[in-house]
Amino acid sequence: MKKCYKSLITWFYMALCILALVGCSAKKEEQVAATSKEETDKTATLAFSWSPSGLDPHSGDSWEIMRSGAAETLIKLSEDLTPTPWLAKSWEQVDDTTWLFQLQENVTFHNGKAMDATSVMNSLQHAIDNNQGTKDLLKIKSMEVVSESELKIETKEINAALISNLADPGTTIVDVDSLDNKDGYPAFTGAYVIKQFNQDESLIVKRYEDYWGEKAKLDEVTIKFISDSNTRLMALQSGEVDGATDISVDNIEVLEKNDNFEVLTAQSLRTHLVMYNMESPLFKQLAVRKAVDSLIPRQEIVDSVMKGQGTAAVGPFSPVLPFGQLSETKEDLSVDQLMQQDGWTKNTDGMWEKDGKVFEATFLTFPQRPELTVMAEVIQSKLLEHGMKVNIRQVENIDETLVNEEWDLAMYSMLTAHTGSPYFFLEVFYKSDSLSNMNHFASQTVDALINELHQTTDTEKSTELAIQIQGEIGKKVPHSYIVYPNTVFAVNKELRGFEALPIEYYYNNANIDKE
């Protein structure tokens, strides 16, 4: 009996040892597999200058979300600004105000739900309800689901730019129900799905394996939000990031001397400008705005500040666009004549004075585009030479400050033809009732012409009309257009497919790869 008992114990211990060996082997195999996966995963890190405040694409942060590669719209713009199919496979204009869209099939949101005509309609309605700019762009009267893959849209009036305007990131298609999910992230349709968002710090996206189009080459991309240009440069040089946007022109030469980096430039559709607060006591009068505008040394700024990476501006739109073909106009009166016209006189210190107060203005700028602050300093110096004092104040969020605080002048930068047409910029900046008309410009003539432009389908006529509108706006000088800058990016040469393009919201995309 004892012998049998000992035998059982021996077999028991032998079984335990075998199980332990099998467990160790399995664990080792798992570790090897995990290590192997880490070695084969392709990842990249990018540095962007702007951080979204949230991930709802219809709340004003649509551009940053689109740039992540997670979001898509019905229409996409090519490099030459031609509207091309994206989530909409095709479209047909039924009559002046009615359009029928055929949607891509077999598209799913990142939560696995199918994208169909109903979900697209709900997304567009959410965009309209939550963003006045999108509502103004689309001018939608009604939408009707014709079938699972067909959506009919009727506009309130002829909207000649509807198709190109559906490429605006504010029309991003999202599963609306996912926006209320406090434990997760919004479900988009792009090549990347959001993995983690740390406000003001980073956004991590990973490849969406069930993507309907060409799958992303990278497994994961980390986007770091670095508002300071020098910090972005140092992050690139140290290897912390593989690519960076909005590189200061002062840093181009440094990077070009290093064989590890490549500088990428493109002629953009952006305009750097000075905005005048037309409700400011200093700039209510046209004569003062004309005086300041005439003193801005545009070509000097292109040569010295932009290092030649740009063109002196004469209007809101780049001359590469057909509606940007404006002639430069010269002011007939001198600065002294203009200032005296508004009751200003020079005091013994050579400064302009009125009603016992010296001319002194607040000039806003912001860090995300460092060249703007340098431009402000050049303008500040030029104005001081002619008896006008301006105090530069740098703010982190320029749009919030323009709306909520007092200011006189502000540097600003705008992609003025981001849908390939003049409608958007003219509508949001110059229509009297636009919420984005931050310098309080108002003209009944301009309002009427913009309304006419929206209903003009003939391309040649719409170009002529857009030029006429710019002429009317120019008479009032609500802005001083300074330069059409080039877009400047920089990458480690191991990064492929990250390009500087005229359109500024397809930054991260499925074609980006890393050697």
Side-chain angles (χ1 to χ4, degrees):
M1 187 74 180
K2 284 183 179 180
K3 189 175 181 181
C4 182
Y5 178 71
K6 287 180 180 178
S7 179
L8 285 170
I9 291 174
T10 301
W11 279 107
F12 176 72
Y13 279 115
M14 285 179 66
L16 284 178
C17 289
I18 290 169
L19 288 170
L21 286 170
V22 170
C24 288
S25 177
K27 188 173 183 180
K28 188 173 181 180
E29 287 178 5
E30 288 175 5
Q31 289 174 339
V32 170
T35 303
S36 176
K37 186 177 186 307
E38 287 175 4
E39 289 175 351
T40 57
D41 274 359
K42 277 190 174 183
T43 65
T45 303
L46 305 174
F48 291 179
S49 53
W50 299 89
S51 170
S53 58
L55 296 178
D56 183 344
H58 305 146
S59 65
D61 292 304
S62 56
W63 287 47
E64 285 72 28
I65 296 166
M66 178 71 73
R67 287 168 173 170
S68 73
E72 297 174 316
T73 48
L74 291 179
I75 308 297
K76 189 173 185 178
L77 296 177
S78 65
E79 281 190 54
D80 65 357
L81 306 178
T82 302
T84 59
W86 210 1
L87 290 176
K89 183 165 55 177
S90 62
W91 51 88
E92 172 192 357
Q93 187 169 9
V94 180
D95 56 42
D96 284 348
T97 58
T98 307
W99 297 79
L100 184 63
F101 292 86
Q102 299 287 337
L103 304 178
Q104 299 282 2
E105 297 173 357
N106 302 316
V107 178
T108 59
F109 291 106
H110 293 152
N111 55 9
K113 291 173 64 174
M115 185 205 79
D116 56 17
T118 300
S119 59
V120 170
M121 179 181 70
N122 292 339
S123 181
L124 290 176
Q125 188 61 54
H126 186 269
I128 293 167
D129 292 342
N130 289 273
N131 192 303
Q132 184 65 41
T134 303
K135 183 178 180 179
D136 293 341
L137 272 178
L138 302 183
K139 301 184 183 299
I140 289 178
K141 178 181 178 181
S142 65
M143 291 181 282
E144 178 188 345
V145 173
V146 179
S147 70
E148 280 193 7
S149 59
E150 291 178 295
L151 179 66
K152 183 187 290 185
I153 294 178
E154 183 181 358
T155 56
K156 298 174 184 176
E157 58 192 51
I158 297 174
N159 187 355
L162 178 66
I163 298 304
S164 60
N165 286 347
L166 282 169
D168 183 279
T171 68
T172 289
I173 303 303
V174 62
D175 174 25
V176 174
D177 292 337
S178 71
L179 295 173
D180 297 325
N181 184 3
K182 293 181 172 57
D183 298 322
Y185 296 117
F188 302 108
T189 61
Y192 288 97
V193 56
I194 294 172
K195 177 180 178 180
Q196 186 178 343
F197 174 56
N198 305 297
Q199 187 174 341
D200 298 325
E201 294 180 11
S202 65
L203 176 63
I204 303 173
V205 295
K206 62 180 181 180
R207 181 170 55 222
Y208 182 44
E209 298 297 345
D210 295 324
Y211 182 55
W212 63 275
E214 182 181 351
K215 288 185 175 57
K217 291 181 170 61
L218 295 173
D219 296 274
E220 187 172 289
V221 177
T222 298
I223 298 167
K224 294 192 174 184
F225 303 116
I226 306 174
S227 62
D228 182 71
S229 175
N230 288 328
T231 307
R232 285 198 301 279
L233 175 68
M234 289 188 288
L236 183 67
Q237 290 174 317
S238 67
E240 181 186 341
V241 302
D242 302 295
T245 66
D246 302 317
I247 293 296
S248 170
V249 291
D250 290 330
N251 297 326
I252 292 177
E253 188 176 355
V254 174
L255 290 168
E256 286 181 335
K257 288 180 179 178
N258 192 320
D259 292 337
N260 294 323
F261 303 111
E262 182 178 1
V263 176
L264 310 170
T265 64
Q267 192 171 30
S268 78
L269 303 177
R270 180 171 292 281
T271 303
H272 292 336
L273 54 92
V274 171
M275 186 181 293
Y276 300 101
N277 184 351
M278 297 177 73
E279 290 187 349
S280 160
L282 292 174
F283 292 103
K284 277 185 177 181
Q285 300 303 317
L286 174 61
V288 179
R289 299 196 299 273
K290 282 185 173 182
V292 172
D293 179 77
S294 68
L295 289 172
I296 295 176
R298 291 167 174 80
Q299 192 57 51
E300 178 186 328
I301 287 173
V302 170
D303 296 337
S304 62
V305 180
M306 298 301 297
K307 311 293 185 187
Q309 292 288 342
T311 309
V314 296
F317 301 111
S318 168
V320 301
L321 299 160
F323 45 84
Q325 304 294 321
L326 301 183
S327 301
E328 185 177 1
T329 57
K330 294 287 186 181
E331 176 55 49
D332 295 330
L333 300 178
S334 69
V335 172
D336 285 1
Q337 289 172 320
L338 289 166
M339 294 299 286
Q340 289 165 3
Q341 194 178 89
D342 189 38
W344 294 89
T345 57
K346 281 274 183 81
N347 63 21
T348 54
D349 295 324
M351 303 298 291
W352 289 106
E353 193 175 276
K354 182 180 179 181
D355 299 328
K357 293 183 179 179
V358 172
F359 186 102
E360 186 170 0
T362 300
F363 196 178
L364 302 181
T365 185
F366 51 97
Q368 288 85 355
R369 296 190 179 278
E371 66 272 25
L372 297 187
T373 298
V374 184
M375 290 181 195
E377 291 169 351
V378 172
I379 295 169
Q380 177 191 45
S381 176
K382 187 67 67 173
L383 295 182
L384 187 59
E385 288 177 18
H386 288 78
M388 303 178 208
K389 181 180 181 182
V390 296
N391 303 308
I392 295 174
R393 179 184 164 214
Q394 190 172 88
V395 298
E396 190 64 32
N397 191 316
I398 185 66
D399 291 312
E400 285 186 5
T401 305
L402 290 173
V403 172
N404 299 318
E405 299 183 29
E406 292 184 2
W407 57 280
D408 302 304
L409 294 155
M411 292 299 305
Y412 205 78
S413 182
M414 186 75 181
L415 196 64
T416 56
H418 78 294
T419 63
S421 76
Y423 304 94
F424 176 79
F425 182 73
L426 297 177
E427 173 88 26
V428 301
F429 261 56
Y430 301 111
K431 266 305 257 326
S432 303
D433 57 356
S434 170
L435 296 178
S436 298
N437 182 348
M438 293 173 286
N439 66 327
H440 312 291
F441 173 82
S443 166
Q444 291 183 350
T445 301
V446 170
D447 286 349
L449 288 171
I450 290 174
N451 289 337
E452 184 181 348
L453 179 66
H454 271 293
Q455 300 184 47
T456 303
T457 55
D458 180 83
T459 303
E460 187 175 333
K461 185 177 178 182
S462 67
T463 296
E464 293 173 358
L465 200 51
I467 291 173
Q468 182 185 351
I469 292 170
Q470 293 172 75
E472 289 296 324
I473 292 168
K475 294 175 184 177
K476 302 293 185 181
V477 197
H479 300 127
S480 287
Y481 311 103
I482 304 173
V483 62
Y484 309 119
N486 290 345
T487 296
V488 183
F489 290 178
V491 297
N492 186 299
K493 287 187 176 178
E494 292 181 350
L495 195 69
R496 303 292 183 190
F498 185 58
E499 300 178 281
L501 299 169
I503 298 298
E504 295 184 12
Y505 35 75
Y506 304 135
Y507 286 176
N508 186 34
N509 59 74
N511 292 321
I512 294 178
D513 202 355
K514 190 176 176 183
E515 292 182 350

